[in-house]
Amino acid sequence: MEPQLLYEGKHKCPICHADQMIIREYLYEAPNVGKLELSFWECQSCGYRLRDVKPLEFLTPIKLELKVEKEEDLGTIVYRSAFADIIIPELEIEVTAGEAYQGVLTTIEGILEIILDQLGDNCKEEKCKKLEDAKNGKIPFTLIINDESGLSFIQSEKVKITQL
């Protein structure tokens, strides 16, 4: 199914406050996931952009678990819904879903990059080194995604899926 335009309008930009923010909302039916709302915001004045994916349907809550043992595993595709928590026990990482949390489609390496970016200057030297080593395939770790919506997935035959 092609995305169906639900709404299009011009609004005030939250960054530059010009009335140049074009907002488009689409309905998209994704295989194995169901109906999603796709949001695209773009300011014609300052260039600010926002992309978001929100599920309109929920599945059974699940836990996804993948042991990342080889560098090739870092390229595995991951969809983490806006309702999912991420846990990486070996790296002492726990990211809990919150109100400003967006769904993201990326790779395992991308998940680690996002975590590093979010930690920013708050990242202690030892923790950052372990994260960088994991991102570069130097140390094995376990990626756990607990998703109350049941929409997250890890595209790998090695993933262990259990109900929460």
Side-chain angles (χ1 to χ4, degrees):
M1 165 184 166
E2 288 292 315
Q4 175 188 350
L5 183 64
L6 297 175
Y7 173 80
E8 182 173 18
K10 196 178 266 192
H11 296 267
K12 184 174 284 216
C13 176
I15 305 302
C16 72
H17 307 291
D19 289 323
Q20 296 294 316
M21 176 68 73
I22 304 294
I23 296 178
R24 292 185 185 96
E25 305 284 331
Y26 295 89
L27 174 65
Y28 179 68
E29 183 124 9
N32 303 321
V33 174
K35 293 179 182 173
L36 301 171
E37 179 183 57
L38 310 176
S39 300
F40 300 94
W41 297 21
E42 185 170 14
C43 180
Q44 303 296 303
S45 177
C46 71
Y48 171 75
R49 292 181 183 183
L50 174 74
R51 306 284 187 256
D52 195 17
V53 179
K54 291 183 182 141
L56 298 176
E57 301 175 320
F58 292 90
L59 305 173
T60 304
I62 56 171
K63 174 182 182 177
L64 306 168
E65 193 170 340
L66 180 69
K67 296 204 180 295
V68 179
E69 301 167 310
K70 301 181 286 186
E71 192 172 346
E72 297 82 48
D73 293 336
L74 295 168
T76 301
I77 299 295
V78 175
Y79 171 66
R80 188 223 59 222
S81 86
F83 306 96
D85 298 334
I86 295 175
I87 301 165
I88 307 174
E90 298 86 348
L91 303 178
E92 300 175 22
I93 296 291
E94 194 167 322
V95 180
T96 56
E99 280 191 32
Y101 211 46
Q102 295 179 337
V104 66
L105 180 64
T106 186
T107 61
I108 292 174
E109 180 180 5
I111 293 283
L112 297 175
E113 287 174 359
I114 290 167
I115 292 168
L116 277 164
D117 286 346
Q118 289 175 343
L119 286 171
D121 293 337
N122 296 323
C123 193
K124 296 191 175 26
E125 194 172 314
E126 185 179 323
K127 182 170 253 179
C128 280
K129 174 148 179 28
K130 282 177 78 173
L131 267 165
E132 285 289 343
D133 286 348
K135 187 175 81 90
N136 294 323
K138 294 179 181 174
I139 58 173
F141 61 92
T142 307
L143 174 64
I144 300 169
I145 299 176
N146 292 325
D147 188 355
E148 291 295 323
S149 74
L151 298 172
S152 294
F153 65 83
I154 299 173
Q155 201 168 346
S156 171
E157 294 175 5
K158 297 185 336 180
V159 67
K160 179 182 169 188
I161 305 171
T162 54
Q163 288 187 0
L164 287 176

